[in-house]
């Protein structure tokens, strides 16, 4: 008898161990799959940010339109967030995440598809150099125009053909692809974290979430490496003879292999979706038990009738719930602390998103860095700096056990320090390049008041040049000329790089004594003074990023304390909706529109329309880019001071020490901020303490 009982206990113990192992294995598999999806979403976000300048050039569009394409991610996210937030937890969460990853990957691949239908990239639509191999042509005055043959066609042919041009509206596919990526990314955060919260062991969920976000940092690392590598490759690599490509990655017309990044991230996202389709809805039940449970559920007709009755009763309460929703929303919007907090975080995040979207363009135009160099430097600088700052901020808050008001003051202090470092960027703005026909007269002797309609000089007035042409050459006097014709050049070397032009009359009149009036293809590089400013800029960027990140993302903790407990979920959801709509979508557009105002030379499409900008006024660009970001941050700081003053009065005499649970929420928010693929890097003029919430996290909090 005792032996029989012992055998039963052994069997029960073995069964229990088997169930625990099954649950453990299913949950671990989910964690592994979710880790890959976190890497995939961060990778896709970074690739888009790094490619936005390349996309602008490839599709011949303005910066404001490129900003709209960048904001389409947020549009896609907003389209489905309500559905995911409400229905996600009621459906098969692993499969929904898998479908999301599949859609996200499909969106990335759709973004890359226009490359295969647009034909070869013509970096010089106005001219095409084709001298004979290894020859040096000696031509009479400015007859180089015969070699630089213009693509001139009759107006009738242009009017009919340009509309049908393969690349005229292909940017719409990039817009739709990025929007599709936003739709697919939506379920990963909320459903993944809620699944962990439901099935993780008690007290282990924060550890798993932290680990997920730490692993997700691999995505930006891979993204920066790939982005830097692909930016060095010519856009049509594998299709054209690279020896015939005369421009370099530092040329304003250079377009790297932007499409490769989207193909890689898309395939990675699709691959990461596969495991989710084989995971159970509930890891606590084996497959057989779920089938038996489903059969029993079908047989219980009485329960079905009861559920139907419950649904009917719920339907009767819809009107009451809607009324309650509007009352709750009114309560939030009449809470001055909450309204101020939403406004100040909107200003901070708008500054952050707008700055980061165009920081690669800023480094290229301001300091003459190639896209590859800019991508690599930002990756090397910002990722370890942000990680260090975030964890340092969390350690300080825990070490000194700061109250809520204390945490807000600490965040304000680091914001002010970061803002002061931001001001140092202004003296680091480089002077505009010396460009004959834009900043100087064509003879290079005098500066001009405006870059518009600069009159020809006697050195090129007889050349019959096309003034809209953009084929920049650098004279040995250090001045950039818009084209060989406008420089008055009379001969050129053979096809081998570098292409050199000789007997340039506009270079001659600048007073060179050695009479070596030559120029080589491409813009003149930045001078040594600007290069030194760039190194200082990088050093300030590191310090600025560290202080910005140290303040951390305390907004979740602040939001839940300044509203009524029953309004926490609504407060977070409304906050993120405002941030995504007015920050994520609009900030890149108005930043881009203002940057467009600083352009001195636009390309011309085959339809004769304005294309992408070739060169900016560096001083004006720097002042607009940094000035807009600084103005937004300064306004946020003023509101922050008022916010702390009002909050201090409200909580005066109360125990506002942050509880352990609240600190855990804040730590998870900090870690989530680190992994946000879209807006996680503090750029020049950006503030990383921007409460970078997204709707995914809000749904998880619900």
């Amino acid at each position: 008898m005792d032996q029989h009982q012992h055998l039963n206990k052994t069997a029960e113990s073995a069964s229990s161990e088997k169930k625990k192992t099954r649950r453990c294995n299913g949950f671990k598999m989910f964690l592994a799959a979710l880790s890959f999806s976190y890497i995939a979403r961060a990778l896709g976000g970074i690739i888009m940010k790094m490619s936005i300048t390349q996309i602008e050039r490839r599709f011949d569009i303005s910066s404001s339109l490129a900003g709209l394409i960048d904001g389409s991610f947020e549009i896609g996210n907003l389209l489905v967030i309500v559905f995911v937030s409400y229905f996600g937890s009621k459906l098969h969460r692993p499969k929904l995440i898998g479908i999301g990853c599949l859609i996200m990957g499909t969106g990335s691949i759709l973004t890359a598809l226009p490359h295969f239908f647009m034909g070869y990239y013509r970096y010089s639509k106005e001219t095409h150099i084709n001298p004979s191999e290894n020859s040096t042509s000696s031509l009479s005055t400015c007859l180089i125009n015969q070699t630089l043959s213009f693509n001139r066609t009759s107006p009738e042919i242009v009017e009919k053909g340009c509309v049908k041009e393969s690349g005229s509206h292909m940017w719409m596919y990039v817009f739709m692809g990025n929007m599709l990526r936003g739709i697919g990314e939506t379920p990963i955060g909320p459903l993944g974290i809620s699944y962990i919260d439901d099935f993780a062991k008690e007290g282990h969920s924060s550890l798993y979430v932290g680990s997920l976000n730490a692993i997700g940092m691999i995505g930006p690392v891979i993204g920066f490496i790939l982005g830097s590598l692909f930016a060095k490759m010519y856009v049509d690599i594998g299709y054209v003879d690279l020896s015939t490509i005369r421009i370099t990655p530092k040329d304003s017309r250079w377009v790297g292999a932007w499409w490769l990044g989207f193909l890689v991230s898309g395939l990675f996202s699709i691959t990461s979706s596969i495991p989710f389709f084989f995971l159970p809805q509930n890891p606590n039940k084996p497959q057989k038990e779920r089938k038996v449970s489903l059969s029993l559920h079908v047989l219980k007709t009485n329960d079905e009738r009861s559920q139907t009755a419950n649904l009917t009763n719920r339907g009767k309460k819809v009107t009451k719930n809607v009324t309650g929703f509007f009352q709750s929303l009114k309560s939030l919007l009449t809470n001055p602390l909450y309204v101020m907090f939403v406004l100040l975080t909107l200003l901070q995040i708008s500054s952050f998103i707008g700055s980061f979207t165009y920081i690669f363009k800023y480094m290229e135009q301001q300091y003459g860095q190639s896209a590859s160099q800019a991508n690599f430097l930002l990756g090397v600088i910002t990722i370890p700096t942000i990680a260090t700052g975030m964890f340092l901020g969390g350690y300080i808050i825990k070490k000194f056990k700061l109250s809520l008001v204390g945490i807000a003051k600490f965040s304000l202090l680091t914001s002010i320090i970061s803002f002061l470092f931001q001001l140092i960027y202004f003296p680091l703005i480089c002077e505009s390049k010396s460009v004959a026909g834009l900043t100087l007269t064509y003879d290079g002797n005098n500066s001009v008041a405006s870059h518009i309609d600069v009159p020809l000089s006697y050195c090129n007035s007889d050349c019959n040049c096309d003034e809209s042409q953009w084929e920049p050459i650098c004279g040995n006097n250090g001045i950039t000329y818009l084209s060989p014709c406008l420089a008055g050049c009379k001969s050129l070397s053979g096809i081998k790089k570098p292409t050199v032009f000789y007997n340039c009359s506009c270079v001659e009149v600048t007073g060179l004594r050695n009479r070596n009036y030559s120029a080589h293809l491409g813009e003149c590089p930045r001078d040594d003074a600007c290069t030194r400013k760039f190194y200082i800029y990088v050093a300030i960027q590191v310090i600025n990023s560290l202080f910005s990140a140290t303040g951390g993302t305390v907004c979740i903790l602040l939001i839940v304390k300044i509203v009524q407990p029953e309004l926490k979920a609504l407060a977070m959801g409304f906050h993120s909706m405002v941030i995504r709509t007015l920050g994520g979508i609009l900030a890149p557009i108005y930043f881009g529109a203002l940057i467009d105002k600083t352009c001195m030379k636009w390309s011309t499409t085959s339809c004769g329309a304005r294309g992408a900008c070739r060169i900016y006024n560096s001083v004006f660009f720097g002042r607009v880019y940094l000035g807009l970001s600084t103005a937004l941050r300064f306004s946020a700081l003023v509101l922050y001071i008022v916010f702390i003053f009002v909050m201090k009065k409200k909580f005066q005499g109360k125990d506002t020490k942050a509880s352990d649970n609240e600190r855990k929420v804040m730590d998870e928010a900090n870690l989530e901020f680190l992994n946000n693929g879209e807006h996680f890097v503090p750029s020049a003029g950006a503030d990383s303490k921007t409460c970078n919430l997204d709707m995914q996290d809000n749904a998880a909090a619900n």
Side-chain angles (χ1 to χ4, degrees):
M1 186 71 175
D2 292 339
Q3 186 177 2
H4 183 68
Q5 289 179 347
H6 177 71
L7 288 173
N8 285 340
K9 288 181 179 179
T10 304
E12 289 175 2
S13 176
S15 177
S16 177
E17 290 283 337
K18 192 174 181 180
K19 287 181 180 179
K20 286 182 180 179
T21 303
R22 186 183 295 113
R23 181 180 67 181
C24 184
N25 290 341
F27 186 70
K28 286 183 177 179
M29 286 296 294
F30 177 81
L31 284 178
L34 194 61
S35 298
F36 278 104
S37 68
Y38 266 53
I39 295 173
R41 74 170 186 174
L43 174 62
I46 287 298
I47 290 294
M48 173 53 75
K49 288 292 183 185
M50 296 172 70
S51 304
I52 200 69
T53 302
Q54 310 286 323
I55 291 171
E56 180 181 330
R57 294 173 184 170
R58 181 64 181 96
F59 295 92
D60 251 343
I61 57 178
S62 64
S63 295
S64 55
L65 186 53
L68 176 63
I69 292 174
D70 182 68
S72 63
F73 176 88
E74 307 291 355
I75 296 173
N77 208 289
L78 288 172
L79 288 176
V80 297
I81 188 59
V82 175
F83 172 82
V84 171
S85 300
Y86 185 77
F87 294 103
S89 60
K90 298 174 174 61
L91 302 174
H92 197 298
R93 283 176 287 186
K95 286 185 178 179
L96 275 181
I97 295 174
I99 293 171
C101 291
L102 188 62
I103 294 174
M104 185 168 63
T106 304
S108 292
I109 292 176
L110 177 61
T111 302
L113 279 184
H115 168 75
F116 300 98
F117 303 111
M118 290 179 65
Y120 299 149
Y121 171 56
R122 296 170 60 202
Y123 57 84
S124 182
K125 294 180 175 62
E126 301 89 356
T127 62
H128 180 65
I129 302 174
N130 189 26
S132 58
E133 182 73 28
N134 297 326
S135 68
T136 302
S137 303
S138 296
L139 306 175
S140 58
T141 306
C142 300
L143 284 182
I144 197 166
N145 269 329
Q146 294 178 357
T147 304
L148 301 174
S149 56
F150 298 104
N151 297 318
R152 291 175 179 170
T153 14
S154 65
E156 294 81 8
I157 296 176
V158 170
E159 187 176 353
K160 292 178 181 178
C162 72
V163 178
K164 296 180 180 179
E165 186 183 82
S166 59
S168 56
H169 297 293
M170 295 294 275
W171 61 267
M172 292 182 180
Y173 290 94
V174 181
F175 179 91
M176 290 187 292
N178 198 38
M179 185 166 64
L180 202 61
R181 191 173 63 84
I183 292 173
E185 191 258 3
T186 306
I188 296 175
L191 302 190
I193 294 176
S194 64
Y195 193 90
I196 290 172
D197 192 54
D198 287 346
F199 300 114
K201 292 181 181 179
E202 186 70 27
H204 284 61
S205 60
S206 61
L207 174 64
Y208 290 135
V209 172
S211 301
L212 269 176
N213 288 286
I215 293 171
M217 287 289 288
I218 298 173
V221 173
I222 297 174
F224 277 115
I225 294 173
L226 290 180
S228 178
L229 177 65
F230 295 152
K232 289 180 182 177
M233 301 178 183
Y234 187 65
V235 60
D236 291 320
I237 186 171
Y239 297 93
V240 298
D241 182 4
L242 297 181
S243 64
T244 63
I245 305 302
R246 286 180 162 78
I247 60 175
T248 66
K250 288 194 175 183
D251 195 292
S252 63
R253 296 164 296 172
W254 177 271
V255 175
W258 61 275
W259 52 276
L260 274 175
F262 289 103
L263 285 183
V264 171
S265 64
L267 292 174
F268 189 87
S269 296
I270 291 173
T271 304
S272 70
S273 72
I274 296 174
F276 290 105
F277 294 103
F278 299 95
L279 292 172
Q281 183 175 3
N282 184 346
N284 294 333
K285 291 183 179 181
Q287 187 67 24
K288 290 182 179 179
E289 287 185 21
R290 289 198 300 276
K291 287 182 178 179
V292 171
S293 176
L294 181 60
S295 300
L296 291 174
H297 178 72
V298 171
L299 293 173
K300 294 179 181 178
T301 55
N302 290 333
D303 288 347
E304 287 181 350
R305 294 194 188 105
S306 176
Q307 288 175 6
T308 303
N310 288 336
L311 288 173
T312 304
N313 291 333
R314 289 175 187 171
K316 294 178 180 178
K317 296 179 181 178
V318 169
T319 305
K320 183 178 179 181
N321 290 338
V322 170
T323 304
F325 167 78
F326 283 108
Q327 288 177 345
S328 299
L329 186 60
K330 180 182 177 182
S331 179
L332 282 179
L333 297 179
T334 53
N335 183 338
L337 271 179
Y338 179 76
V339 172
M340 275 192 292
F341 192 78
V342 170
L343 289 176
L344 73 90
T345 51
L346 173 61
L347 292 170
Q348 286 180 319
I349 293 177
S350 296
S351 169
F352 176 83
I353 295 174
S355 297
F356 183 49
T357 300
Y358 297 104
I359 187 173
F360 302 101
K361 179 191 287 287
Y362 179 79
M363 293 177 71
E364 288 179 54
Q365 290 290 331
Q366 192 65 229
Y367 300 109
Q369 301 297 310
S370 67
S372 175
Q373 291 171 321
N375 294 343
F376 180 76
L377 280 172
L378 277 180
V380 169
I381 292 170
T382 53
I383 291 178
T385 304
I386 288 181
T388 303
M390 293 295 290
F391 287 110
L392 179 63
Y395 174 78
I396 291 174
I397 291 172
K398 285 187 176 182
K399 177 71 174 178
F400 295 99
K401 298 180 180 179
L402 298 178
S403 66
L404 290 176
V405 176
I407 291 172
K409 288 180 178 179
F410 173 71
S411 179
L412 175 62
L413 175 64
T414 54
S415 291
I416 291 174
I417 296 174
S418 176
F419 177 78
L420 293 176
F421 277 106
Q422 157 97 10
L423 299 178
I424 301 177
Y425 290 135
F426 285 94
L428 300 179
I429 295 175
C430 293
E431 292 296 324
S432 294
K433 289 182 178 180
S434 297
V435 183
L438 293 179
T439 63
L440 300 172
T441 55
Y442 280 104
D443 58 17
N445 289 329
N446 303 297
S447 59
V448 295
S450 172
H451 64 273
I452 301 173
D453 296 329
V454 177
L456 294 174
S457 175
Y458 63 89
C459 64
N460 59 11
S461 58
D462 296 331
C463 294
N464 193 27
C465 301
D466 182 358
E467 295 180 51
S468 67
Q469 180 182 341
W470 176 257
E471 189 75 35
I473 62 171
C474 178
N476 59 358
N477 56 356
I479 296 176
T480 299
Y481 296 84
L482 300 181
S483 70
C485 179
L486 288 169
C489 298
K490 301 174 182 62
S491 61
L492 70 157
S493 66
I495 194 170
K496 287 189 176 181
K497 293 186 284 188
T499 302
V500 181
F501 299 85
Y502 299 102
N503 301 320
C504 303
S505 56
C506 290
V507 178
E508 179 181 353
V509 298
T510 56
L512 290 174
R513 294 181 180 178
N514 59 6
R515 302 188 64 79
N516 181 21
Y517 312 131
S518 62
H520 62 269
L521 198 63
E523 297 177 46
C524 294
R526 284 291 191 178
D527 57 21
D528 293 339
C530 188
T531 303
R532 286 192 295 271
K533 286 183 177 181
F534 173 68
Y535 294 135
I536 299 173
Y537 169 84
V538 171
I540 299 300
Q541 176 82 341
V542 173
I543 300 172
N544 191 10
S545 299
L546 180 65
F547 277 103
S548 295
T550 302
T553 50
V554 300
C555 56
I556 288 182
L557 186 56
L558 292 174
I559 285 177
V560 299
K561 294 299 289 184
I562 62 179
V563 299
Q564 301 170 21
E566 64 273 13
L567 298 179
K568 291 177 184 177
L570 179 61
M572 294 167 65
F574 182 79
H575 176 267
S576 280
M577 185 187 70
V578 171
I579 296 304
R580 281 193 176 275
T581 305
L582 302 181
I585 298 174
L586 293 184
I589 296 175
Y590 61 74
F591 262 81
L594 287 175
I595 288 173
D596 284 338
K597 298 291 185 183
T598 69
C599 183
M600 293 193 298
K601 182 69 175 179
W602 293 91
S603 67
T604 305
T605 67
S606 57
C607 298
R610 192 180 80 175
C613 185
R614 295 307 191 194
I615 187 170
Y616 294 86
N617 183 316
S618 299
V619 176
F620 194 19
F621 184 11
R623 289 174 180 171
V624 167
Y625 175 76
L626 297 175
L628 179 57
S629 177
T630 302
L632 290 171
R633 293 184 63 186
F634 179 77
S635 302
L637 286 177
V638 173
L639 273 177
Y640 216 146
I641 294 171
V642 176
F643 172 79
I644 291 176
F645 178 77
V646 176
M647 187 171 68
K648 190 175 180 181
K649 288 185 67 176
K650 180 176 180 180
F651 289 106
Q652 192 171 12
K654 297 181 181 179
D655 182 16
T656 57
K657 292 287 182 181
S659 67
D660 292 337
N661 184 58
E662 288 165 343
R663 289 196 182 95
K664 182 184 76 172
V665 171
M666 185 181 64
D667 291 342
E668 292 178 6
N670 289 343
L671 287 165
E672 178 66 18
F673 171 80
L674 279 173
N675 188 49
N676 190 303
E678 287 294 305
H679 318 303
F680 84 103
V681 182
S683 59
D687 189 353
S688 70
K689 295 175 297 309
T690 55
C691 305
N692 193 11
L693 294 173
D694 46 79
M695 292 296 290
Q696 294 96 309
D697 302 321
N698 301 333
N702 290 342

